[in-house]
Amino acid sequence: DTDAFQRAFDAAVAAEERIEPRDWMPDAYRATLVRQIAQHAHSEIIGMQPEANWITRAPSLRRKAILMAKVQDEAGHGLYLYSAAETLGVSREELLDKLHAGRQKYSSIFNYPTLTWADVGAIGWLVDGAAITNQVPLCRCSYGPYARAMVRICKEESFHQRQGYELLLALSKGTPEQHAMAQDAVDRWWWPSLMMFGPPDDASQHSAQSMAWKIKRHSNDELRQRFVDICVPQAESLGLTLPDPDLKWNEERGHHDFGAIDWSEFWDVLKGNGPCNDQRLSRRRTAHEEGTWVREAAAAHAAKHSNDTTG
Ligand code: FAQ
């Protein structure tokens, strides 16, 4: 009976065991995971767009090769995550349809434009840095397939983050124009990166339940604070300034205090009113339509092979 199943599930979560696809799980746990993993997968593939914008204009062959590899990694992350979501009984097609219809979200951060080459560095340093801070605890998420996907993704994200840091360092130590370009990119990406962690704890509707289920291990504000504390010394060694006059070490708390985040901007971006929401979604829809023949060919190929009894 359901009560016994529920007790077994609660005991497994309490004992830090992993819940696996064939295990019984509460419907709401399944729905929460589908929501979060789908949003995460969508973010990975939408996140390819802002950076891909610079592939043709990378300043050297080396930088171009690195950037292409990074953008391909993001596609790979999307694929692991769609596969993890599929273990919960939804199909990739269904999830993509929901993304294209605007019925599932992707991260707010990818609705900002990449105006200069330095933005590629700022995304690597700050956006991938924020992503890692959020995702390392997800390696201990109670749902096995999601936790395991995160292990590999985090390794690749660390490499992406170093790539961005190194790029920004080169610009920061370059000509005065290059330094200014790096500073401008950091000025524009800093606040949106802090918003990636989600609304403040008192406005985070899912946190309490997700933490009880051990999907989330830390609150949005805890991870945001951890990220700020990591970035301050890194900004110093980059020779760049974080655009927050209220940012300062608080001896008592053992953390940096920082200025107020403009949450109205965050909610506005979520509603679809960020600078690039329309462009990101319409490019994604077009890419999907243009890929129809590939999906059809792959399906025809698979069908032919499954009928092929001679091997
Ligand atoms: N953007 O109650 P909570 C990457 C929504 S990294 C948009 O706190 P939750 C790597 C939230 O969905 C980016 N929406 O929600 C990369 C909910 O709305 P709903 C992807 C947001 O789930 C780098 C409502 O606000 N990473 O892609 C955002 O407990 C470079 C209330 O919020 C992940 O997805 C936001 N930033 O906590 C790729 C990590 N924040 O669903 C390419 C996994 C909140 O009820 C290039 N996800 N909302 O309609 C998570 O850890 C969690 O889902 C949070 C949100 C922490 C994002």
Side-chain angles (χ1 to χ4, degrees):
D1 66 306
T2 310
D3 282 356
F5 284 134
Q6 178 78 50
R7 279 196 299 277
F9 171 86
D10 292 342
V13 170
E16 298 287 326
E17 284 165 22
R18 295 278 170 271
I19 306 301
E20 297 297 338
R22 287 172 211 278
D23 295 340
W24 183 90
M25 61 187 87
D27 290 343
Y29 176 83
R30 186 185 299 276
T32 289
L33 282 166
V34 169
R35 176 184 65 79
Q36 178 166 329
I37 300 173
Q39 283 181 13
H40 196 165
H42 299 330
S43 304
E44 299 284 354
I45 61 166
I46 296 268
M48 296 168 75
Q49 292 183 36
E51 292 179 282
N53 180 36
W54 282 93
I55 290 175
T56 56
R57 291 171 291 168
S60 70
L61 182 60
R62 175 173 167 268
R63 292 285 181 199
K64 190 197 286 262
I66 293 170
L67 183 55
M68 281 172 66
K70 179 181 193 287
V71 172
Q72 283 185 6
D73 283 353
E74 312 298 0
H77 297 175
L79 296 184
Y80 314 151
L81 287 164
Y82 285 119
S83 297
E86 284 185 313
T87 65
L88 293 158
V90 289
S91 72
R92 191 181 305 187
E93 250 168 33
E94 184 182 334
L95 299 179
L96 285 171
D97 285 349
K98 285 188 174 150
L99 169 65
H100 299 151
R103 284 166 52 219
Q104 280 180 344
K105 295 188 167 79
Y106 58 88
S107 181
S108 51
I109 193 75
F110 301 118
N111 293 306
Y112 292 86
T114 42
L115 302 180
T116 72
W117 170 251
D119 289 20
V120 172
I123 289 181
W125 177 43
L126 296 173
V127 176
D128 288 291
I132 297 166
T133 308
N134 163 270
Q135 285 168 194
V136 165
L138 290 174
C139 298
R140 292 185 295 118
C141 158
S142 57
Y143 188 59
Y146 190 32
R148 289 188 290 272
M150 278 302 127
V151 173
R152 180 158 170 188
I153 291 178
C154 283
K155 285 184 188 161
E156 295 179 355
E157 297 287 23
S158 312
F159 182 67
H160 295 172
Q161 194 268 355
R162 296 300 301 227
Q163 165 284 143
Y165 183 90
E166 193 265 342
L167 194 166
L168 278 183
L169 187 63
L171 289 177
S172 180
K173 288 183 162 172
T175 64
E177 289 80 4
Q178 287 173 322
H179 181 88
M181 186 164 77
Q183 183 61 57
D184 170 64
V186 169
D187 289 348
R188 283 181 291 104
W189 288 92
W190 173 248
W191 292 105
S193 298
L194 295 189
M195 295 175 196
M196 284 176 72
F197 293 91
D201 291 350
D202 56 17
S204 169
Q205 48 183 355
H206 301 296
S207 276
Q209 182 60 76
S210 288
M211 285 172 73
W213 278 327
K214 298 186 181 172
I215 295 172
K216 285 170 91 160
R217 296 286 182 157
H218 305 278
S219 78
N220 298 356
D221 286 331
E222 267 172 63
L223 292 174
R224 191 169 8 250
Q225 178 72 62
R226 184 178 292 180
F227 177 66
V228 171
D229 291 339
I230 291 170
C231 287
V232 170
Q234 293 184 349
E236 239 165 71
S237 35
L238 279 170
L240 297 169
T241 322
L242 296 171
D244 180 358
D246 297 326
L247 190 63
K248 65 167 187 299
W249 178 250
N250 181 326
E251 190 65 50
E252 227 166 88
R253 292 203 307 124
H255 291 291
H256 294 86
D257 290 336
F258 55 97
I261 295 174
D262 180 1
W263 290 111
S264 63
E265 175 180 322
F266 172 78
W267 296 115
D268 215 34
V269 170
L270 258 61
K271 273 189 230 138
N273 303 325
C276 300
N277 295 58
D278 292 342
Q279 183 190 338
R280 300 292 185 242
L281 216 52
S282 78
R283 291 240 168 108
R284 174 93 272 290
R285 289 193 195 105
T286 307
H288 191 71
E289 280 157 27
E290 288 175 351
T292 305
W293 71 270
V294 180
R295 290 189 298 280
E296 284 173 0
H301 181 76
K304 193 172 150 198
H305 278 263
S306 66
N307 292 338
D308 185 355
T309 49
T310 61

